[in-house]
């Protein structure tokens, strides 16, 4: 099983790359996250944004599996199914859901909002999809799983969990009711029962034994990981390669290639530290050129230069063996492109990402020559080649794919050369 994941703060372009390489695989499996994700695919002039459903869904013959590590909001899931059906995808034939995946309840969403409101200025900037409270119920051993839909005591268990959530909501001083959203949710639950469910771990074991090729698709990114991200400004799941094992029930010794997706610069949406952030005209130019607005929430994304200590950290904790560099076209026309090679922390120079990336970190930059739009239209210009080689040398991993536009076709595959 190969793994593809985000090497920065999410929105690196994972959806695009999964769609491009999906024909090489029999199964594409999402291993964590939920509708906080927004994976964009563009081909034949149409844009599709996926939240829960894996990004192999437009490739005929590919099985798309929602793994046990994913949290599913039945309402958002059904909306996604309908829009895929409207686009002519025979989604029911192509989709499997793990029975162990946890359900997002309307009260989880309300709890997410209440918790964020209480945090005030310290808020995480969550997508308000109920992700944190759902994973809290999972690890707190109170959660509801997809398999519970088929149990006779489903209604009682649901009512009991809602009562618990209502007590918590009243402690938060939350006003209002979830009754409206509840009706839509209960209706969606009825429909969810008709989708194919599997024991994901057994399904993938059999698939791998019979020689099928499986790609695990990550959501969010390494720096949003619950353990290794910029805690507490993170999401609530394991976004790193180890999360592919627990989120799908596949053993570590079955993992092959691990591809890290990164942008030629950095973005972050929501709160939290971001050492190379640019709060100036340069950052604004990146946001405009890169259309850096969230695929799920529409919020403007914070932008900054590429951060090599952070990328090296992602290579280390994930065991990334190949990198895909996205959106180099966005930097077209900059005379100089900067790259953060080190941090200065308390006056000390370091190339390691510390556990606490406070605002006291000062990035140290190297300047490189930029590239122009005309030469990018012909392929990879020499200045961009130099930029790529500098990154490969700094992180010790080859960049095997370069993306120069959002469309499926705007992709250049490069030979996997060994990097010393
Ligand atoms: P994901 O969450 O990692 O799948 O990434 P998102 O879809 O949230 O954000 C990536 C955005 O960049 C989407 O709008 C893509 O259409 C777009 N995109 C992907 N690759 C490229 C690229 O190489 N160049 C440009 N200009 N846009 C890209
Ligand atoms: P994809 O898969 C970018 C961010 C939120 C917030 C933090 C916690 O499209 O790359 P959550 O709702 O998970 O509790 O929010 O994580 N976040 C993302 N940022 N891309 C994503 O997904 C994200 N999913 C969550 O903005 O800062
Ligand atoms: Mg996204």
């Amino acid at each position: 099983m190969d793994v593809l994941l985000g090497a920065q703060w999410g929105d690196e372009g994972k959806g695009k790359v999964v769609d491009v390489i999906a024909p090489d695989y029999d199964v594409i499996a999402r291993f964590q996250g939920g509708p906080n994700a927004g994976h964009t695919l563009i081909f034949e002039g149409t844009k599709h944004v996926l939240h829960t459903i894996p990004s192999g869904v437009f490739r005929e013959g590919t099985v798309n599996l929602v793994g046990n590590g994913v949290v599913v909001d039945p309402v958002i899931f059904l909306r996604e199914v309908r829009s895929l059906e409207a686009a002519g995808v025979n989604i029911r034939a192509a989709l499997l859901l793990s029975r162990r995946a946890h359900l997002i309840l309307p009260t989880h969403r309300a709890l997410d909002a209440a918790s964020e409101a209480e945090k005030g200025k310290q808020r995480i900037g969550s997508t308000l999809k109920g992700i944190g409270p759902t994973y809290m119920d999972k690890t707190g051993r109170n959660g509801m799983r997809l398999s519970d839909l088929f149990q006779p005591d489903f209604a009682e268990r649901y009512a009991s969990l809602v009562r618990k959530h209502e007590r918590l909501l009243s402690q938060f001083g939350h006003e209002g009711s979830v009754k409206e959203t509840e009706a839509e949710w209960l209706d969606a639950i009825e429909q969810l029962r008709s989708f194919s469910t599997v024991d994901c771990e057994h399904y993938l074991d059999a698939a791998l034994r019979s020689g099928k090729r499986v790609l695990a698709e990550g959501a969010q990114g390494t720096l949003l990981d619950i353990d290794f991200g910029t805690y507490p400004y993170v999401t609530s799941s394991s976004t790193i390669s180890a999360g592919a094992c627990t989120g799908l029930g596949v053993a570590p010794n079955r993992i092959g290639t691990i591809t890290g997706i990164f942008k030629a610069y950095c973005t972050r949406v929501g709160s939290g530290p971001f050492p190379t952030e640019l709060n100036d005209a340069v950052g604004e130019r990146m946001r405009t050129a890169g259309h850096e607005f969230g695929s799920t929430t529409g919020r403007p994304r914070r932008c900054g230069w590429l951060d090599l200590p952070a990328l090296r950290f992602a290579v280390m904790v994930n065991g990334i063996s190949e990198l895909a560099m996205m959106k180099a076209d966005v930097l077209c026309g900059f005379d100089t492109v900067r790259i953060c090679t080190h941090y200065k922390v308390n006056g000390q120079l370091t190339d390691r990402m510390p556990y606490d990336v406070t605002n006291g970190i000062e990035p140290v930059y190297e300047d490189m020559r930029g590239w122009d739009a005309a030469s990018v239209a012909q392929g990879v210009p020499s200045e961009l080649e130099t930029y790529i080689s500098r990154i490969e040398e700094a992180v010790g991993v080859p960049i095997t794919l370069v993306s120069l536009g959002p469309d499926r076709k705007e992709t250049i595959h490069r030979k996997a050369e060994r990097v010393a």
Side-chain angles (χ1 to χ4, degrees), residues 166-229:
E166 282 172 346
R167 282 196 296 277
L168 287 169
L169 284 166
S170 73
Q171 278 173 22
F172 274 119
H174 174 85
E175 285 170 14
S177 141
V178 295
K179 285 286 168 239
E180 261 170 55
T181 43
E182 185 178 56
E184 195 185 14
W185 190 86
L186 290 171
D187 181 52
I189 280 290
E190 288 307 316
Q191 298 184 54
L192 193 55
R193 286 198 174 97
S194 65
F195 282 82
S196 303
T197 56
V198 287
D199 293 333
C200 161
E201 59 285 11
H202 288 296
Y203 178 85
L204 289 178
D205 178 56
L208 291 168
R209 277 177 196 277
S210 67
K212 294 237 162 77
R213 297 209 60 201
V214 179
L215 177 68
E217 174 180 359
Q220 289 80 57
T222 304
L223 303 173
L224 290 170
D225 180 78
I226 183 70
D227 284 281
F228 297 104

Side-chain angles (χ1 to χ4, degrees), residues 6 9-14 30 32 34-40 50-51 112 116 124-133 218-221 224 232-237 267-272 295-297 299 301:
W9 280 281
D11 298 331
E12 297 90 348
K14 299 175 290 294
R30 266 281 300 272
Q32 44 68 236
N36 48 349
H39 295 181
T40 314
L50 297 163
H51 301 286
D112 199 358
E116 285 284 84
I124 309 292
S126 113
T127 58
L128 302 179
K129 303 291 175 198
I131 304 295
Q220 289 80 57
L224 290 170
Y233 300 100
V234 293
T235 190
S236 297
S237 64
T267 65
R268 168 162 210 169
V269 60
S271 330
S295 319
T296 297
T297 57
R299 291 178 294 176
R301 295 177 185 145

Side-chain angles (χ1 to χ4, degrees), residues 56-79:
V57 80
F58 291 100
R59 300 295 198 171
E60 214 156 305
T62 308
V63 172
N64 290 269
L65 173 62
V66 176
N68 56 277
V70 176
V71 289
V72 178
D73 182 326
V75 174
I76 296 176
F77 170 76
L78 277 177
R79 229 178 270 152

Side-chain angles (χ1 to χ4, degrees), residues 7-9 221-243 268 309-310 313-314 316-318 353-357:
Q8 295 165 325
W9 280 281
T222 304
L223 303 173
L224 290 170
D225 180 78
I226 183 70
D227 284 281
F228 297 104
T230 48
Y231 194 87
Y233 300 100
V234 293
T235 190
S236 297
S237 64
S238 289
T239 62
I240 60 168
S241 52
R268 168 162 210 169
F313 180 81
M316 177 183 79
V317 295
N318 290 300
M353 191 170 207
Y355 84 94
D356 186 14
V357 192

